Amino acid sequence: MTVSHLRFGRDPIRSTYLVEPGMAGFVACHQTVFTERYDLLAHAAPGGVFLLNTPEPPERVWDSLPESLRAGIADKGLKLWVIDAYRVAQEAGMGRRINTIMQTCFFAISGILPRQEAISAIKHAVDKTYGKKSKRLADLNYQAIDMTLANLHPVVIPAQAGIQEATSSTPAFPHAGTSAGVTDLPAFVRDVTLPIYRGHGDRLPVSLMPVDGTFPVDTARFEKRNIALEIPVWEADLCTQCGKCVFVCPHSAIRARAFPAELAANAPASFKHVPARSKDYPPGTHISYQVAPEDCTGCGDCVEACPIHDKSNVSRLAVNMAPIGPLREPERDNYAFFLSLPEFDRAAVKHGTIPGSMLLDPLFEYSGACAGCGETPYIRLATQLFGDRMMIANATGCSSIYGGNLPTTPYTVNAEGKGPTWSNSLFEDNAEFGLGMRLAADQLMDYAKVLVKELATELGGDLAAALLDADQREEAGLHAQRHRVAALSEKLATSSHARAKELASVAEWLIRRSVWIVGGDGWAYDIGYGGLDHVLALPYDVNILVLDTEVYSNTGGQTSKATPLGAVAKFSAGGKATAKKDLAKLASDYGHVYVATVAYGAKDTQTLRVFHEAEAYAGPSLIVAYSPCIAHGVDMLYNQRQQDLAVKSGHWPLFRFDPRLAEAGGNPFKLDSAAPSQPIKAFMDSETRFAMLARSHPEASERFLAEAQKAAERRFKAYQELAQGHPDATKTGA
Ligand code: SF4
Ligand code: SF4
């Protein structure tokens, strides 16, 4: 939740401070769900205005409000105004964007400026913001402003409302302890997370802060943000169980489970499950695709990804969006039941297929990333595949904000209570930070091996030898090593050997850790590039994941060296005049680095394959992942379509460079995308970051377009030559 304090005065206001409680003449709430969670009226001044965005019609609003809020309104004698801003936005063609609408309401009600003067000023501001980007966007905003006034209503407060004793607001985490799979709140969540979530973090004593700065994981599940207006509904009869909806979900809010049918005997009546179609599972296995209704953001990406239509009604897919109203309660119960089912045996799951891998539980869930985020599916996928073995060094940027924001964290744990280790370092040293994790993990494994050798007789020669010689590159080997470590721990628990305790304390490190160095293009291409290059130049086993949005997203859209030619960004108002750095190609020139470019919306099977290959490679790996972002000026509903267009136009060719192939005498360079089938113009015209230049600098736009087309053709030809065995492709470094 964002709380903005705004002050107006006849004279310039020269100092910054927050509005005091009880002093705000106008309070607005843009999300209805907040009325159940926060004390919204603490800052309202007696006789002031409270504006609420709500889907309820004006005559029903009063009865729909929580009692504490009604009491507060009556007690302070507030005037209540309402608008269904999401409906207005929808009808005006603005999707879910309600900022302009709520701003118009403020000026229309507050009387700070004469109404017409205020409306003209807002339209002028729209022109300034969108005029150069897109006439269509400006027109839509104009339309929304005009429609706002007709849909803004005062609410008559019933006389009998009277003055009541205001009770405290309904707490945040509204369903903790009820049916959402959340039982008692852990002490830390109750004492620290929850107060911060309610906006009272500044009241916490320092003594409650963790002394070493370590915060517990597994806390995003308590939020239940309830921001979706529509959620997906699974049509079990149509579904082919391909798993694509799960694969693309940025919020881990639609999931798949395979389970013995008898486990569903006591399922809620509306819980959907059908026999598993694949022969990979034992007879009697059922499967369910279930949405988390209170964690879904309503982005619609899962529906966009679904390839299956009803032949008798092509608008009906195997998963469709529907208003959340009547679905919230039953789906909440269904999701709680779904979570109570055990994860399918990881050793039996086909990790190399989309439907198989999507049965693996994500250990990254319900992040606060933008609805439809193009980055988070990559992180979720990595946690599904490599789970509790992951150690993540996260560069500052979007991924560190949604990955470790206070008060909750989306990283979570498996049924054994184990999950990824995560930490955020500086922008400029993240690669080195991750390298340190690798060295520490290797050191601990080496030490554990020394102790295993010392205790070999006590442990039994076979177990000791197997622990020491384990091949842990692939899932089967890792699975076997986990069993050995469990057997080792059992033996050590009853051992009287002087070093048994010491070995027990490091035994877990005998399981190979999967180190991931994660960040955006601002880190990898720019600020952290020196360190990244340093780590790539070394032989250590690290996996570097670059979430490439081609711009500094989190800090507001500044140009990075990943920004493509002709894109408008901050510091490139006239379009970026130089080409994007080819980071993947540069890294492949070392010869010993596994390198790949991916775009899951274009080729999900290639993305999955790359993650497996990179992780299994015993040296440094670099995955450069195309990540659509709101900064591109696209509707994130079409996230996957934009990825596909980026690949088909030659903007983002897909390739893999695998040094293992060169060692085996083959060509390490594999081109995974076909020759461009669309002109680059089709891609650039579809994104505001390029298209706005045609309005502001038409000649430059034409020139960049022509240059970008040539560059895309040139790059694809060069990649083709490498794939066909050009000498450079087999270069293995000095
Ligand atoms: S609508 Fe978006 S957040 Fe919700 S389940 Fe589908 S992909 Fe996930
Ligand atoms: S994408 Fe469609 S067909 Fe595939 S699993 Fe999801 S609902 Fe079923």
Side-chain angles (χ1 to χ4, degrees):
M1 182 181 69
T2 303
V3 181
S4 303
H5 291 228
L6 186 63
R7 288 176 292 134
F8 286 87
R10 294 196 181 285
D11 301 317
I13 298 172
R14 300 194 190 282
S15 69
T16 52
Y17 53 85
L18 298 180
V19 177
E20 295 285 321
M23 298 291 285
F26 189 100
V27 174
C29 172
H30 293 206
Q31 301 287 345
T32 320
V33 70
F34 292 164
T35 61
E36 298 169 6
R37 301 185 173 186
Y38 302 108
D39 181 4
L40 297 171
L41 303 182
H43 284 75
V49 171
F50 179 56
L51 166 67
L52 178 65
N53 169 26
T54 171
E56 293 291 339
E59 63 279 8
R60 291 220 304 264
V61 165
W62 184 254
D63 289 338
S64 75
L65 298 178
E67 192 182 320
S68 58
L69 188 64
R70 280 185 288 177
I73 291 170
D75 187 20
K76 293 196 171 186
L78 303 180
K79 296 170 199 71
L80 175 61
W81 288 77
V82 292
I83 183 166
D84 185 351
Y86 283 116
R87 184 177 53 75
V88 174
Q90 195 76 37
E91 289 173 5
M94 301 261 296
R96 289 170 52 93
R97 294 184 200 89
I98 61 169
N99 276 6
T100 305
I101 295 164
M102 296 304 285
Q103 193 184 39
T104 305
C105 291
F106 169 72
F107 281 106
I109 301 167
S110 65
I112 281 176
L113 290 173
R115 189 179 268 216
Q116 267 324 311
E117 196 181 319
I119 302 299
S120 302
I122 297 172
K123 288 187 174 174
H124 179 65
V126 164
D127 268 342
K128 266 184 79 178
T129 310
Y130 302 109
K132 284 186 184 159
K133 286 187 186 168
S134 154
K135 181 169 177 342
R136 194 183 70 87
L137 267 183
D139 287 347
L140 291 179
N141 274 279
Y142 265 48
Q143 195 173 331
I145 292 166
D146 292 336
M147 288 173 66
T148 296
L149 299 178
N151 286 280
L152 177 63
H153 304 286
V155 173
V156 179
I157 297 172
Q160 68 270 26
I163 296 176
Q164 300 176 27
E165 184 69 17
T167 54
S168 66
S169 60
T170 308
F173 300 10
H175 308 301
T178 62
S179 57
V182 179
T183 51
D184 292 335
L185 290 179
F188 186 87
V189 172
R190 185 194 61 222
D191 298 338
V192 178
T193 313
L194 183 53
I196 297 174
Y197 189 80
R198 283 179 177 161
H200 300 155
D202 51 352
R203 297 183 198 165
L204 290 178
V206 173
S207 56
L208 281 181
M209 294 295 116
V211 285
D212 62 354
T214 305
F215 271 66
V217 293
D218 187 31
T219 47
R221 71 188 169 102
F222 295 110
E223 283 200 48
K224 304 297 167 214
R225 290 187 292 144
N226 276 297
I227 58 172
L229 304 177
E230 294 187 323
I231 59 171
V233 175
W234 180 49
E235 305 295 348
D237 60 319
L238 278 182
C239 177
T240 57
Q241 304 171 7
C242 69
K244 285 179 183 288
C245 50
V246 182
F247 197 89
V248 302
C249 178
H251 306 280
S252 310
I254 186 165
R255 300 188 182 189
R257 266 279 200 276
F259 51 89
E262 59 270 21
L263 291 187
N266 296 320
S270 58
F271 179 72
K272 294 180 194 166
H273 56 104
V274 289
R277 292 184 179 217
S278 168
K279 299 282 175 282
D280 291 341
Y281 309 110
T285 300
H286 273 214
I287 200 160
S288 177
Y289 287 82
Q290 174 65 47
V291 67
E294 298 180 298
D295 305 295
C296 169
T297 64
C299 70
D301 284 9
C302 52
V303 173
E304 280 295 304
C306 181
I308 303 301
H309 293 259
D310 184 343
K311 288 197 177 70
S312 60
N313 173 11
V314 285
S315 65
R316 179 176 174 251
L317 281 76
V319 62
N320 305 279
M321 299 303 281
I324 190 168
L327 296 170
R328 190 193 314 268
E329 298 283 332
E331 290 303 329
R332 179 194 297 162
D333 292 346
N334 289 337
Y335 188 55
F337 177 77
F338 176 92
L339 290 178
S340 74
L341 294 167
E343 183 183 21
F344 199 77
D345 181 1
R346 286 183 69 91
V349 164
K350 290 247 178 327
H351 290 229
T353 67
I354 301 284
S357 59
M358 290 306 103
L359 290 174
L360 301 169
D361 275 353
L363 298 183
F364 175 83
E365 60 185 14
Y366 325 135
S367 83
C370 301
C373 174
E375 295 188 355
T376 47
Y378 295 112
I379 299 177
R380 191 216 62 242
L381 173 64
T383 69
Q384 285 175 291
L385 300 178
F386 315 120
D388 61 354
R389 294 189 298 114
M390 288 183 85
M391 297 178 76
I392 304 169
N394 209 133
T396 299
C398 281
S399 55
S400 71
I401 304 306
Y402 60 64
N405 61 330
L406 276 174
T408 63
T409 170
Y411 286 96
T412 184
V413 294
N414 59 21
E416 293 168 29
K418 297 175 181 172
T421 303
W422 182 94
S423 192
N424 165 225
S425 184
L426 303 175
F427 228 146
E428 61 269 30
D429 69 356
N430 187 54
E432 300 93 314
F433 183 54
L435 177 63
M437 289 184 177
R438 174 78 275 159
L439 297 178
D442 289 351
Q443 198 65 38
L444 284 158
M445 181 188 262
D446 287 348
Y447 182 50
K449 284 184 172 178
V450 167
L451 293 173
V452 168
K453 280 181 197 158
E454 261 187 53
L455 275 75
T457 316
E458 163 117 5
L459 297 173
D462 287 352
L463 176 60
L467 280 164
L468 294 171
D469 300 336
D471 176 357
Q472 300 188 59
R473 291 321 318 169
E474 307 282 349
E475 191 60 32
L478 281 156
H479 187 69
Q481 183 75 341
R482 283 179 190 274
H483 276 287
R484 288 184 209 110
V485 169
L488 170 68
S489 298
E490 261 180 44
K491 288 200 174 201
L492 292 174
T494 54
S495 169
S496 56
H497 193 286
R499 304 275 272 163
K501 255 195 175 161
E502 183 72 0
L503 177 52
S505 73
V506 290
E508 282 287 321
W509 293 96
L510 289 164
I511 298 166
R512 178 171 72 84
R513 290 300 190 272
S514 183
V515 173
W516 286 78
I517 301 173
V518 177
D521 47 281
W523 157 67
Y525 286 69
D526 281 12
I527 296 174
Y529 179 63
L532 182 92
D533 184 52
H534 178 67
V535 172
L536 287 175
L538 295 170
Y540 295 102
D541 181 8
V542 294
N543 307 288
I544 301 172
L545 174 61
V546 180
L547 303 161
D548 192 346
T549 60
E550 306 193 314
V551 73
Y552 282 82
S553 302
N554 187 52
T555 47
Q558 293 82 8
T559 303
S560 81
K561 291 185 194 76
T563 304
L565 180 75
V568 175
K570 286 181 184 157
F571 308 127
S572 299
K576 175 133 177 291
T578 55
K580 176 187 175 91
K581 175 158 73 180
D582 194 343
L583 181 66
K585 178 65 184 61
L586 281 171
S588 74
D589 284 348
Y590 274 118
H592 72 279
V593 181
Y594 176 93
V595 184
T597 55
V598 296
Y600 68 88
K603 211 168 185 182
D604 49 13
T605 48
Q606 190 253 6
T607 301
L608 179 62
R609 181 174 186 167
V610 162
F611 272 68
H612 278 301
E613 288 182 353
E615 207 277 338
Y617 180 58
S621 305
L622 173 72
I623 302 174
V624 188
Y626 188 64
S627 307
C629 169
I630 54 169
H632 293 183
V634 293
D635 185 339
M636 296 307 283
L637 172 64
Y638 304 117
N639 174 345
Q640 291 107 237
R641 185 192 68 186
Q642 290 310 113
Q643 295 185 44
D644 196 38
L645 201 46
V647 172
K648 286 196 171 127
S649 65
H651 174 69
W652 193 269
L654 303 175
F655 78 82
R656 285 172 292 140
F657 180 94
D658 191 339
R660 286 166 294 201
L661 296 176
E663 279 164 25
N667 183 349
F669 194 98
K670 299 282 172 212
L671 191 49
D672 287 330
S673 52
S677 58
Q678 301 264 347
I680 200 91
K681 181 173 166 42
F683 170 65
M684 290 173 79
D685 281 355
S686 70
E687 303 203 344
T688 304
R689 60 177 169 153
F690 299 109
M692 63 191 287
L693 202 63
R695 285 172 63 80
S696 62
H697 300 79
E699 282 169 19
S701 170
E702 282 298 315
R703 194 176 70 248
F704 287 139
L705 204 56
E707 282 178 33
Q709 181 64 46
K710 276 191 207 146
E713 287 166 11
R714 206 167 42 236
R715 184 170 54 240
F716 193 82
K717 189 161 173 286
Y719 284 4
Q720 245 176 347
E721 284 175 3
L722 290 170
Q724 286 160 3
H726 186 278
D728 270 1
T730 52
K731 185 175 165 188
T732 53

